[in-house]
Amino acid sequence: MNKDSRREFFERLRAANPNPTTELDYTTPFELLIAVVLSAQATDVGVNKATAKLYAVANTPAAIHALGQAGLESYIQTIGLYRSKARHVIELCRILMEQHDGEVPQTREALEALPGVGRKTANVVLNTAFGQPTMAVDTHIFRVSNRTGLAPGKDVRAVEDKLVKVIPKEFLHDAHHWLILHGRYVCKARKPDCASCVVCDLCDFKGKAI
């Protein structure tokens, strides 16, 4: 995909969805951080159901830490890998209180030092909570980037680096959400809905189902 096509690609996604955002429910950077940690190998819908109950009783590092691992598990046991996630979250809360005055840090290095937080999670928080132009490449973005020819790469880091390099700056802040939503609802893994795709004619995918 060339420069002009990439610009048109995002112009159309923006026209279709001018204000994209995450489908995880949150009201503070901390709530977002915990939701993203819990969302690994889980659906946003499932995470939202669990956090709605959790945040009603505990939505700060101190309050969640006070629940203890067993107490936290009782709220998130419907989420996959909930035991290991609970362990990570409890330790994460302790570190936030002891090292960051209970606040979510705004640097990648500090975020990635937290238990259960990898590069993708850090990128989501930096982008969504703090407005930084980061690109969190999940399976949807990886697929869309390779399938369409937008930013092909052999692994998620290669795709991330290329997306940050080739996406016009005016689109970079929202590109993460546009690409995830496009991959989740249109450019699906098994059966892409090419007939309703607003960027179908710009896409390099040879298996288009029109």
Side-chain angles (χ1 to χ4, degrees), residues 7 39 50 52-53 56 69 100 106 108 129 132 153 159 167 183 191 195 198 203:
R7 172 168 287 279
S39 71
K53 297 176 182 177
Q69 182 173 334
H100 301 285
Q106 298 187 35
R108 181 192 307 284
Q132 297 185 27
V159 169
I167 294 174
K191 192 176 181 181
V198 298
C203 171

Side-chain angles (χ1 to χ4, degrees), residues 59-182:
N59 69 340
T60 66
I64 289 182
H65 190 266
L67 292 175
Q69 182 173 334
L72 178 56
E73 286 179 2
S74 69
Y75 287 98
I76 66 170
Q77 60 187 346
T78 55
I79 299 174
L81 306 175
Y82 74 93
R83 287 194 176 90
S84 62
K85 289 177 181 178
R87 185 171 64 252
H88 287 150
V89 168
I90 293 297
E91 180 65 7
L92 179 156
C93 289
R94 182 188 67 79
I95 294 173
L96 288 183
M97 290 188 293
E98 292 182 359
Q99 300 181 17
H100 301 285
D101 296 320
E103 299 295 325
V104 177
Q106 298 187 35
T107 66
R108 181 192 307 284
E109 294 75 19
L111 283 168
E112 289 188 19
L114 298 171
V117 179
R119 185 178 181 88
K120 183 176 72 173
T121 295
N123 278 338
V124 171
V125 174
L126 291 172
N127 177 272
T128 305
F130 301 123
Q132 297 185 27
T134 56
M135 179 58 61
V137 178
D138 68 348
T139 56
H140 297 301
I141 292 182
F142 184 78
R143 179 176 66 254
V144 170
S145 297
N146 277 285
R147 179 184 276 170
T148 63
L150 176 66
K154 292 183 178 180
D155 55 49
V156 293
R157 183 58 190 273
V159 169
E160 176 189 335
D161 291 343
K162 191 161 187 179
L163 284 170
V164 171
K165 181 179 179 181
V166 303
I167 294 174
K169 288 186 178 180
E170 67 182 281
F171 302 112
L172 193 52
H173 175 260
D174 290 326
H176 161 73
H177 297 301
W178 282 320
L179 293 175
I180 282 182
L181 294 171
H182 191 66

